[in-house]
């Protein structure tokens, strides 16, 4: 077994990537990437200020959204841009993963051609991770790159997909196989948009928030343990804090490994080797991504216990927090008999090298390492508690 040194060094990183507290529910996080740097504005009821935050008082834009988000959120952003003197329109795609497709992308290219878009036309993604990934890839590829801004409206998109510049669509044979790195010019997060987000989608996003505590920040994890009610009640100040801290932690990782070349960015994949297998086996509709990540984190943590890296209490703390926000922690019964398929899916994970499974595993709450050379049989033994 080998530990990846790049990841082991993470503990020594300065994780404060430049956030500033403007008030309890208004915060700003800077993503420092040289000439691709940008700010994340976080607030409660700030959608109308989107053009001001982005310095977009004129010029042309295309808002990309989906049918669940158009009214009211994307329409509010449209009015804000028009009110600020910018010219543009809105295009709405079907909600859900199927819109991360070549055919949806083709429709969007047609729209840009029809409006004679050029490199000064800004693409504005208003929606969850599907819209951010699709619109971001549109922006990355049209006319060799258009300016792009993210207005995420799911918790998952706020704390993960809108930050870091990964964009893409799915191939029929696999998720996110076609993509590009294309950093946004800015991210505007209005936590009030979460008021309309269905409960299951909201809880799914909490899995990624909890993940940040486990991989990078014990103090944040302990804070989450103490603020379960605030998270469940979607308290504005609690939300602003968890979104800002998650963005700050992700920004710190992306700053050090923007293009995923050193192995460091892989820490964000804690639980995902298992989770991708559970999602694939469920046909992507039985489990939401965050639900699969929740179960996957517990399997990975059990693996770390099994390998003697952590005491069982470290897993127990994660189980307690995940369960208390209503997330599943056990592998669905109907998947437990499909062990070879689980291994086959895990082998497709992009961390796998030369047929060797690699896992991100905790050695305490707040710190993880990449561990190579784990036997598939050991991983399978961690699907259940016994
Ligand atoms: P999603 O975009 O499909 O949104 C989930 C559902 O919530 C959809 O039905 C959507 O219409 C609806 N919705 C969104 N905001 C809403 C709101 N405020 N009110 C009511 N309904 C709302 O899913 P997601 O979980 O946000 O994102 C998942 C996608 O993100 C996946 O495709 C995944 O691959 C991608 N992702 C990308 C990255 C990255 O770094 N680029 C990271 C993680 C995940
Ligand atoms: N969501 C994983 C990453 O951005 O690298």
């Amino acid at each position: 077994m080998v530990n990846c040194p790049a990841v082991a060094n993470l503990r020594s990183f300065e994780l404060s990537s430049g956030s500033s507290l403007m008030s309890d529910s208004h915060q700003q996080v800077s993503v420092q990437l040289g000439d691709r740097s940008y700010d994340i504005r976080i607030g409660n009821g700030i959608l109308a200020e989107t053009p001001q935050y982005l310095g977009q008082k004129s010029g042309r834009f295309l808002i990309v959204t989906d049918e669940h988000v158009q009214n009211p959120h994307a329409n509010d952003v449209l009015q804000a841009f028009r009110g600020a003197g910018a010219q543009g329109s809105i295009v709405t795609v079907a909600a859900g993963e199927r819109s991360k497709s070549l055919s949806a992308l083709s429709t969007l290219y047609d729209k840009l051609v029809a409006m004679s878009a050029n490199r000064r036309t800004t693409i504005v993604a208003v929606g969850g991770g599907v819209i951010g990934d699709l619109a971001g890839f549109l922006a990355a590829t049209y006319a060799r790159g258009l300016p792009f801004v993210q207005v995420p409206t799911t918790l998952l998109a706020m704390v993960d997909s809108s930050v870091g510049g990964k964009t893409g669509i799915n191939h029929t044979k696999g998720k996110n196989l076609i993509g590009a790195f294309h950093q946004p010019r800015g991210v505007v997060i209005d936590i009030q948009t979460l008021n309309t987000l269905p409960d299951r989608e909201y809880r799914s996003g909490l899995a990624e928030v909890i993940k940040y505590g486990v991989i990078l920040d014990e103090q944040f994890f302990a804070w989450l343990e103490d603020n379960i009610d605030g998270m469940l009640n979607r308290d504005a100040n609690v939300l602003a804090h968890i979104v800002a801290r998650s963005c700050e932690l992700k920004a710190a990782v992306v700053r050090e490994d923007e293009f995923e070349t050193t192995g460091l960015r892989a820490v964000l994949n804690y639980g995902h080797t298992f989770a991708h297998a559970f999602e694939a086996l469920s046909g992507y509709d039985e489990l939401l991504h965050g639900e699969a990540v929740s179960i996957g984190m517990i399997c990975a943590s059990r693996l770390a216990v099994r390998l003697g890296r952590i005491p069982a209490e470290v897993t127990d703390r994660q189980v307690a927090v995940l369960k208390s926000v209503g997330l599943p922690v056990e592998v669905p019964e109907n998947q437990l008999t499909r062990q070879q398929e689980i291994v086959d899916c895990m082998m497709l994970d992009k961390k796998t090298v030369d047929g060797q499974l690699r896992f991100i595993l905790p050695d305490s709450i707040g710190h993880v390492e990449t561990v190579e050379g784990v036997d598939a049989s050991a991983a399978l033994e961690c699907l259940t508690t016994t």
Side-chain angles (χ1 to χ4, degrees):
M1 218 160 6
V2 181
N3 298 331
C4 170
V7 176
N9 285 340
L10 188 65
R11 199 194 290 275
S12 61
F13 283 176
E14 176 49 66
L15 282 176
S16 173
S17 65
S19 81
S20 43
L21 181 65
M22 305 170 105
S23 71
D24 280 349
S25 60
H26 284 72
Q27 306 201 31
Q28 180 172 313
V29 175
S30 298
V31 186
Q32 291 154 6
L33 295 170
D35 59 6
R36 292 182 304 288
S37 296
Y38 52 95
D39 289 333
I40 304 167
R41 302 296 293 247
I42 301 155
N44 194 15
I46 61 169
L47 273 194
E49 293 156 57
T50 304
Q52 283 72 29
Y53 288 144
L54 300 168
Q56 184 87 22
K57 297 200 176 105
S58 59
R60 292 199 306 152
F61 65 89
L62 179 68
I63 294 175
V64 180
T65 192
D66 78 28
E67 57 198 346
H68 296 157
V69 183
Q70 179 179 349
N71 193 15
H73 309 307
N75 284 335
D76 287 349
V77 177
L78 179 69
Q79 294 316 319
F81 273 97
R82 287 189 175 156
Q87 291 179 333
S89 60
I90 195 163
V91 58
T92 304
V93 303
E97 197 66 31
R98 69 198 152 113
S99 282
K100 272 176 63 173
S101 65
L102 278 175
S103 68
L105 185 67
S106 180
T107 307
L108 298 178
Y109 287 140
D110 292 347
K111 179 83 184 171
L112 287 175
V113 172
M115 67 187 277
S116 304
N118 60 35
R119 284 192 196 145
R120 286 184 309 207
T121 306
T122 301
I123 303 295
V124 185
V126 185
V130 163
I131 292 302
D133 282 10
L134 172 69
F137 190 61
L138 174 76
T141 49
Y142 190 86
R144 299 192 179 85
L146 303 184
F148 168 52
V149 300
Q150 290 261 24
V151 184
T153 63
T154 62
L155 183 58
L156 179 136
M158 291 176 183
V159 301
D160 189 358
S161 61
S162 67
V163 178
K166 280 189 182 175
T167 72
I169 58 171
N170 301 327
H171 185 273
T172 46
K173 298 281 185 199
K175 270 190 84 176
N176 299 325
L177 285 182
I178 305 160
F181 286 98
H182 189 59
Q183 297 294 344
R185 298 277 170 100
V187 182
V188 177
I189 299 179
D190 184 347
I191 53 178
Q192 211 171 72
T193 61
L194 294 177
N195 290 345
T196 57
L197 187 69
D199 212 37
R200 196 173 160 204
E201 296 288 352
Y202 173 74
R203 287 167 196 254
S204 175
L206 287 174
E208 299 285 357
V209 173
I210 294 163
K211 177 198 76 178
Y212 286 113
V214 180
I215 63 174
L216 292 167
D217 188 346
E218 182 179 15
Q219 217 183 332
F220 182 48
F221 185 88
W223 190 92
L224 295 174
E225 289 178 312
D226 290 341
N227 285 275
I228 300 293
D229 287 347
M231 283 194 280
L232 289 175
N233 301 334
R234 307 191 193 192
D235 176 276
N237 291 338
V238 167
L239 279 174
H241 179 65
I242 64 177
V243 170
R245 187 59 185 153
S246 300
C247 288
E248 197 176 24
L249 291 165
K250 178 152 186 184
V253 172
V254 170
R255 183 185 63 198
E256 298 299 329
D257 186 18
E258 181 182 1
F259 299 111
E260 217 164 43
T261 49
T262 68
L264 178 64
R265 194 164 172 166
V267 297
L268 300 172
N269 267 314
Y270 174 53
H272 286 58
T273 311
F274 284 103
H276 288 151
F278 304 148
E279 281 183 284
L281 263 60
S282 78
Y284 296 102
D285 51 14
E286 185 188 317
L287 284 175
L288 296 180
H289 178 67
E291 293 170 341
V293 168
S294 174
I295 301 166
M297 287 195 287
I298 295 312
C299 293
S301 191
R302 283 186 198 134
L303 182 57
V305 174
R306 192 181 168 75
L307 297 175
R309 305 177 64 83
I310 49 168
E313 294 76 60
V314 173
T315 308
D316 297 342
R317 275 180 82 185
Q318 294 169 70
V319 168
V321 177
L322 291 164
K323 281 174 84 167
S324 60
V325 298
L327 282 162
V329 292
E330 296 300 338
V331 180
E333 197 81 18
N334 61 4
Q335 295 203 8
L336 286 174
T337 50
R338 301 172 67 186
Q339 303 211 341
Q340 188 54 49
E341 289 169 87
I342 292 177
V343 173
D344 292 346
C345 287
M346 289 197 300
M347 284 293 177
L348 292 176
D349 185 87
K350 59 182 184 298
K351 291 187 296 304
T352 300
V353 180
D354 298 332
Q356 293 275 309
L357 287 173
R358 293 201 292 175
F359 289 90
I360 307 299
L361 299 182
D363 53 13
S364 62
I365 293 284
H367 189 252
V368 287
E369 290 186 338
T370 300
V371 179
E372 297 178 354
V374 178
D375 279 346
S377 57
L380 288 174
E381 279 164 18
C382 300
L383 297 179
T384 56
T385 37
T386 49

